Amino acid sequence: VINYVVETIDECISDLPLSIVQENLELGRITQPIAAAVKAQALLFAASPLMNGNPDYANFVDGRGEHIFPTEYDATKWKRAADAAMEAIQIAEEAGHRLYTYEEYVNISDATRRILSIKEAVTERWNDEIIWGSTQDCNGLQTVSMPRLSAKKSPYALNSVMGPTLDVAEQFYTSNGVPMSEDKTSFWAANYGNRYKPIVIPDEGDNKHLMEVGQETATMHLNREPRFYANLFFDRCTWYGDGMTNDTTALDKIHFRYHEYSGIMGIEKFTMTGYLPKKLCSMKSVVGENNDWSPYRYAFPIIRLADVYLMYAEALNESLDAPTEEVYEYVDRVRERAGLEGVKDSWAKYSRYPNKPLAKDGMREIIHQERLNELAFEGKRFWDYRRWKVEQPQIIRGWNVKGETVKDFYQPTQLYTRPQKYYFRDYLWPIRTNSIQKNPNLVQNPGWN
């Protein structure tokens, strides 16, 4: 199947346009960069643990007794995926695709400009980083992702129900570009074990652009990487948008505790976890008083250039005995836009495991986390976890959103427990019963019989 997909793309790609000329009429139409990126994505999937010699499927055969999936691991599949990803990068860059940076001239801090470079890569309509975007309306997505900004601003127009979990919030790096659990610097050495406890937000560094100074928030909300602040609304964070020109004194403040304006309203319209996905909300969306809500329509990215960079780094790392400078380069390109030092430097300076990036296994873990951080809320985690054969957390956690006091709110709370018996089954979806009835040659996927 993968070979057929790749061969078909190879046959048609030269007849596709390098870029869209009539943008008002045809944006979203398939181009050479799109086709090349889809080819790389297909080959990466085929090389990944789920499909590349997965022992769980060793006895999965069709009606003729032939194996449906490869039974032996083939390392050359990673090389093929890496070559395809590099081809996709070259074609995309030839077409003018580049990592997005927010360059509009406004008098804002470097911290806010960096946040906008990260999040507006998703919500700035048809920016140069988007290789393939959806022309579907994203207004509804913003409605469920945007918090109420005050008691007067759109208290009923916004649903505010999307709930990133506590595990997602913890996955983002510290300001030093390494996981919280690995950071050896004084703040995290002293506070990692107390990361859930409330702390007063000090007026230091970039805090005044990111959080409500003088208020209390969770300790783990301080000293985090810019992607944390670009991706998540959290209690006592700030929002820069809606025509603002001052990122110090005119910022909106988010208050998620019980009976506060961003928190629970009756029996609906609130996040169960105490987080909302800021990244999915355009800074150009207008949240007004008197129930006014005017979301800015954007093209949701199906594939953007940062995704392809990380595809290449992952496939190249897996195809080698140890990572090379080229593996680091394409991860570091993404990290640089996020205001982080390179992988090797960050781990050497700040991690309790300074040699982690030097080994293939360690770099694999880093690349996986880079994908989770960079592509959060873009529909990638679902598929990456499956192709990596990584189980999602069984216990789903958030804050106690019914807590009125600071102490009560900042209690990690178990919201749901995934039934473990479904993990293996859910790597593949079921084939419809009527499809099997129409075609007896089809075999139901494992666990769905």
Side-chain angles (χ1 to χ4, degrees):
V1 171
I2 295 295
N3 286 336
Y4 174 77
V5 170
V6 170
E7 289 167 5
T8 304
I9 291 175
D10 285 341
E11 287 176 8
C12 75
I13 195 167
S14 61
D15 296 323
L16 296 171
L18 185 63
S19 59
I20 296 299
V21 177
Q22 299 183 32
E23 293 187 350
N24 290 337
L25 298 175
E26 296 188 326
L27 277 173
R29 177 188 171 189
I30 304 301
T31 60
Q32 287 186 28
I34 292 172
V38 171
K39 172 183 171 180
Q41 198 174 55
L43 288 169
L44 187 72
F45 180 74
S48 297
L50 181 65
M51 293 296 168
N52 193 357
N54 183 354
D56 293 337
Y57 298 148
N59 298 319
F60 188 29
V61 296
D62 63 17
R64 300 165 297 176
E66 296 186 7
H67 291 283
I68 293 179
F69 298 117
T71 58
E72 300 293 331
Y73 173 77
D74 184 354
T76 64
K77 291 182 178 181
W78 287 111
K79 176 64 165 61
R80 192 181 180 197
D83 290 344
M86 175 48 67
E87 179 187 24
I89 290 169
Q90 292 170 341
I91 293 174
E93 292 179 343
E94 181 185 354
H97 293 288
R98 60 184 179 85
L99 293 183
Y100 173 83
T101 55
Y102 182 78
E103 296 175 347
E104 293 185 28
Y105 180 76
V106 286
N107 187 24
I108 55 176
S109 65
D110 290 342
T112 298
R113 192 174 296 277
R114 187 175 296 116
I115 298 300
L116 297 179
S117 292
I118 296 166
K119 66 180 296 296
E120 298 298 302
V122 171
T123 61
E124 179 52 46
R125 186 185 301 155
W126 297 112
N127 67 77
D128 289 340
E129 185 169 344
I130 297 177
I131 293 174
W132 192 11
S134 170
T135 57
Q136 290 186 319
D137 190 344
C138 290
N139 293 356
L141 188 61
Q142 294 187 80
T143 300
V144 296
S145 302
M146 190 76 190
R148 293 174 293 277
L149 302 179
S150 73
K152 294 181 179 180
K153 287 190 174 183
S154 297
Y156 300 108
L158 299 169
N159 286 329
S160 309
V161 296
M162 292 283 274
T165 66
L166 188 56
D167 289 304
V168 169
E170 291 193 85
Q171 104 200 343
F172 289 97
Y173 293 141
T174 70
S175 57
N176 296 316
V178 299
M180 283 194 296
S181 60
E182 294 185 25
D183 197 312
K184 68 180 182 180
T185 57
S186 58
F187 178 86
W188 291 105
N191 290 299
Y192 177 69
N194 298 316
R195 63 192 181 279
Y196 303 136
K197 292 185 177 181
I199 189 173
V200 176
I201 301 169
D203 187 3
E204 60 186 30
D206 293 325
N207 286 349
K208 63 185 177 182
H209 306 298
L210 307 172
M211 294 171 282
E212 192 172 358
V213 170
Q215 291 281 316
E216 289 183 273
T217 192
T219 300
M220 61 173 274
H221 294 161
L222 272 59
N223 295 340
R224 302 298 296 277
E225 65 159 310
R227 286 180 296 198
F228 175 84
Y229 302 105
N231 273 274
L232 291 170
F233 286 113
F234 58 89
D235 183 48
R236 270 51 186 181
C237 79
T238 57
W239 167 251
Y240 176 86
D242 194 8
M244 290 181 179
T245 57
N246 186 314
D247 66 340
T248 302
T249 60
L251 292 169
D252 284 310
K253 314 297 193 303
I254 311 303
H255 288 189
F256 272 136
R257 296 169 206 160
Y258 196 47
H259 293 318
E260 293 184 332
Y261 53 79
S262 306
I264 295 177
M265 284 189 65
I267 60 173
E268 58 181 3
K269 295 189 176 183
F270 66 92
T271 166
M272 291 186 66
T273 65
Y275 292 103
L276 283 169
K278 181 191 289 188
K279 186 185 198 175
L280 302 182
C281 301
S282 170
M283 64 170 290
K284 296 181 180 178
S285 294
V286 177
V287 183
E289 298 183 8
N290 302 318
N291 216 29
D292 298 327
W293 166 235
S294 300
Y296 172 79
R297 182 170 179 168
Y298 61 86
F300 191 86
I302 301 171
I303 301 176
R304 58 186 177 91
L305 188 59
D307 186 3
V308 186
Y309 282 169
L310 294 175
M311 287 186 208
Y312 178 62
E314 179 183 352
L316 185 60
N317 183 63
E318 296 295 344
S319 70
L320 302 169
D321 294 329
T324 62
E325 291 302 317
E326 195 168 8
V327 173
Y328 304 129
E329 175 189 348
Y330 283 89
V331 176
D332 289 350
R333 287 189 185 189
V334 177
R335 288 172 62 91
E336 182 180 11
R337 194 253 303 273
L340 301 176
E341 296 181 58
V343 168
K344 288 198 297 182
D345 287 344
S346 293
W347 259 261
K349 293 179 182 178
Y350 309 116
S351 174
R352 293 188 291 110
Y353 309 105
N355 295 324
K356 185 175 180 179
L358 307 182
K360 180 176 181 176
D361 291 350
M363 195 60 196
R364 175 191 298 128
E365 184 179 328
I366 290 170
I367 293 170
H368 285 188
Q369 191 156 354
E370 285 290 338
R371 285 190 63 83
L372 296 176
N373 292 351
E374 176 64 26
L375 304 171
F377 314 131
E378 297 180 48
K380 303 296 182 180
R381 172 192 302 268
F382 180 92
W383 303 107
D384 281 345
Y385 269 16
R386 279 156 179 76
R387 69 180 179 86
W388 294 332
K389 288 187 65 181
V390 173
E391 292 184 354
Q392 298 189 43
Q394 186 176 2
I395 297 175
I396 307 304
R397 302 179 305 151
W399 299 118
N400 174 27
V401 294
K402 293 185 178 180
E404 294 188 52
T405 66
V406 175
K407 181 179 178 180
D408 288 343
F409 182 88
Y410 287 115
Q411 295 293 329
T413 302
Q414 182 173 326
L415 303 173
Y416 177 71
T417 302
R418 299 177 191 269
Q420 192 167 10
K421 65 180 181 179
Y422 297 134
Y423 282 167
F424 170 74
R425 185 189 78 174
D426 288 347
Y427 280 121
L428 300 175
W429 285 340
I431 298 172
R432 292 169 60 94
T433 301
N434 66 343
S435 296
I436 294 176
Q437 290 172 341
K438 291 176 183 177
N439 181 3
N441 293 319
L442 290 175
V443 178
Q444 184 57 273
N445 280 328
W448 292 99
N449 294 317

